[in-house]
Amino acid sequence: MKTFCLIMLSLLAAPPAVEVQQLDGSKTEGNLVQMTADSISLGLADGTSSTLSTKDIINVVPTSPAPFEPQAPPVFDVSLADGSQLLIANLNISSRTADLKSPGGNKISLGKSAMKGIRFLHPEADASLADDDPFKQRWYEIVSEYTGADAIVLIREGDLTIQEVVIHGVSSKGVKIQLDDLTTTVDLSKLYGLLFYQRGARTFPSPLCLVELNDRSKLLARSVQLNNGHTQVTTLTGTEIPVAFDQITKLDFAAGNIQFLDEMKPARVTWTSVLQSGIAIDDFAMVYAPKMNTSFRGTTLTLEEDGEPVAYSRGMAVHATSELLYDLPTGFRQLQMRVGIDPASLGSCTAKLQIVGDQKILFEKEFSGDTQPEDIALNISGVRRMKIIVDAADGEDWGDVLHLCQARLIK
């Protein structure tokens, strides 16, 4: 279910310059003058305007993002219950509420129940934010799966250990905890992180977009309001977070709503040659196995549209005879792509594309000669396993190459 949300831009002295990437692979630059739940309007360089549907947008990025110049270094990595991540410079948490301050100086107030965990960072080094922390991945797995009481997390014998406690308060001075009849304050340096009481597994609606900030915070937005250069993001937990627009590095409309096939690992990929050869099939497959986001010549994926080549940033090149099997994630309702013959194979291609969902043929068509590219939109609601098959229609597979451009699953 797509959450209703409203994005409103008004009274801007200087509308921000942005680049919009669309699902069809095209990009449009302009000044962001208006946004609604359904569309955005850009002022173009030639004085005209362009209105784009939010359903057709992958992301919006500022053309000149501001550098990250923190007032204070991030010290806390806060995970919200909806999956949002906040990098925080200072905080004060009571038994029910939390007051946070971002590295950029923004003040954030929220209920303690909106938080799922806090990982403690080292202010003198950015390493814990990057890949130097050997426990970071394990930490995020724990946070994602955790349900239960308040807990402190410690490093013990090369792993993270969870100890259930009652957390009465948190500040830069330490964590006040209660364990049975003992109440004490623990120095932050002795802990890896904190987990907060969760009543059980919580579900949230699909976000409008993922808001990425230049301090590396990532907010799953239910709504976004922009006014005079300032932005207020409301996360799926209902937390309202004020930020300056120039702190935003990306509005990612694909996050949680669109899954590109090139990002998914097929459960099985097979390629076989129609013709017999003395070359080992494994060696053949290294050459003719499907290619992601590139043609078989190592160039950008293209389709010939009305006699002109059109480039696509994402997709796959598939040679006959190939089969890709996908285990589909739940919640997606449609498969979309634009399919056509590799321009290098025009005139010689005789390939057949077949898409099968749970052993039911959803699409089947032969592409030969000068067959024009075609948009495909298939209902995949409830489909668990999907096959994409490119076969040699005439029994010979040389030159039978299709480009499946911008192939994606849509919620």
Side-chain angles (χ1 to χ4, degrees):
M1 180 180 71
K2 184 90 171 180
T3 304
F4 173 78
C5 58
L6 177 65
I7 303 180
M8 184 177 295
L9 189 69
S10 62
L11 303 178
L12 280 179
V18 297
E19 178 185 85
V20 181
Q21 183 178 0
Q22 296 177 262
L23 284 173
D24 63 6
S26 63
K27 296 180 180 180
T28 304
E29 290 190 5
N31 293 322
L32 187 59
V33 295
Q34 187 177 19
M35 301 183 73
T36 70
D38 301 315
S39 65
I40 72 168
S41 294
L42 300 178
L44 305 182
D46 61 3
T48 62
S49 63
S50 176
T51 300
L52 307 172
S53 171
T54 53
K55 292 182 179 180
D56 297 329
I57 294 173
I58 297 177
N59 59 53
V60 178
V61 297
T63 55
S64 300
F68 179 45
E69 297 177 350
Q71 297 179 11
V75 183
F76 307 97
D77 176 6
V78 178
S79 295
L80 300 188
D82 60 13
S84 296
Q85 180 188 15
L86 282 168
L87 278 302
I88 296 300
N90 202 355
L91 55 71
N92 194 295
I93 302 174
S94 67
S95 59
R96 294 192 175 184
T97 61
D99 294 314
L100 315 178
K101 190 173 183 179
S102 74
N106 299 317
K107 295 181 179 180
I108 304 164
S109 296
L110 66 158
K112 182 181 171 184
S113 61
M115 298 187 299
K116 202 166 185 183
I118 298 177
R119 182 171 66 109
F120 300 129
L121 310 176
H122 299 291
E124 70 277 4
D126 194 46
S128 292
L129 299 180
D131 300 321
D132 296 34
D133 181 353
F135 301 104
K136 186 176 72 169
Q137 185 59 40
R138 176 62 182 143
W139 164 257
Y140 289 133
E141 291 173 357
I142 291 173
V143 170
S144 175
E145 300 169 358
Y146 187 75
T147 58
D150 289 346
I152 57 175
V153 180
L154 309 98
I155 300 175
R156 290 288 186 270
E157 297 180 356
D159 199 2
L160 298 182
T161 300
I162 298 172
Q163 172 64 61
E164 291 190 355
V165 296
V166 177
I167 298 175
H168 291 294
V170 186
S171 70
S172 58
K173 297 179 180 179
V175 182
K176 185 178 181 180
I177 65 170
Q178 179 180 340
L179 179 60
D180 298 328
D181 295 330
L182 174 66
T183 299
T184 187
T185 298
V186 181
D187 190 276
L188 300 184
S189 64
K190 298 184 181 299
L191 301 174
Y192 183 85
L194 304 175
L195 297 169
F196 296 102
Y197 168 69
Q198 303 295 313
R199 294 186 299 272
R202 299 169 65 179
T203 58
F204 296 92
S206 298
L208 167 70
C209 63
L210 176 68
V211 181
E212 299 183 12
L213 306 182
N214 58 5
D215 65 3
R216 302 195 213 181
S217 293
K218 296 182 178 181
L219 312 175
L220 288 166
R222 181 173 71 190
S223 66
V224 183
Q225 292 182 332
L226 300 96
N227 184 23
N228 201 27
H230 293 278
T231 311
Q232 180 164 288
V233 178
T234 302
T235 71
L236 301 183
T237 63
T239 303
E240 296 180 347
I241 301 175
V243 297
F245 186 84
D246 62 7
Q247 291 179 301
I248 295 175
T249 58
K250 181 188 292 186
L251 298 174
D252 186 353
F253 289 86
N257 301 310
I258 302 170
Q259 177 69 66
F260 283 91
L261 293 191
D262 61 79
E263 296 175 333
M264 298 174 60
K265 183 178 180 179
R268 185 179 69 237
V269 179
T270 58
W271 177 84
T272 56
S273 175
V274 172
L275 302 177
Q276 297 297 317
S277 172
I279 302 176
I281 188 64
D282 289 344
D283 293 335
F284 253 138
M286 290 178 63
V287 178
Y288 292 107
K291 307 293 184 183
M292 301 298 165
N293 300 326
T294 184
S295 72
F296 279 98
R297 299 175 302 283
T299 57
T300 302
L301 288 171
T302 58
L303 295 175
E304 188 166 298
E305 312 268 3
D306 298 323
E308 296 293 331
V310 176
Y312 293 87
S313 60
R314 310 189 74 146
M316 61 184 79
V318 187
H319 198 292
T321 301
S322 295
E323 179 180 304
L324 298 94
L325 174 66
Y326 291 93
D327 292 322
L328 298 186
T330 59
F332 289 91
R333 60 179 175 81
Q334 196 171 70
L335 170 69
Q336 297 179 359
M337 66 180 76
R338 186 159 180 81
V339 181
I341 299 171
D342 178 352
S345 299
L346 285 171
S348 61
C349 179
T350 54
K352 181 174 71 174
L353 174 64
Q354 188 179 77
I355 300 175
V356 180
D358 290 340
Q359 300 182 342
K360 178 182 178 181
I361 296 176
L362 305 178
F363 178 88
E364 188 173 43
K365 180 173 180 176
E366 183 176 322
F367 290 78
S368 60
D370 296 321
T371 303
Q372 292 298 302
E374 178 175 337
D375 287 318
I376 295 176
L378 305 176
N379 182 4
I380 57 168
S381 298
V383 174
R384 300 181 62 183
R385 307 199 91 187
M386 179 182 72
K387 289 182 182 178
I388 296 177
I389 303 168
V390 175
D391 205 351
D394 63 354
E396 296 182 2
D397 55 20
W398 297 108
D400 293 344
V401 179
L402 298 182
H403 285 175
L404 283 56
C405 300
Q406 305 299 120
R408 69 268 184 188
L409 308 178
I410 305 290
K411 283 191 174 180

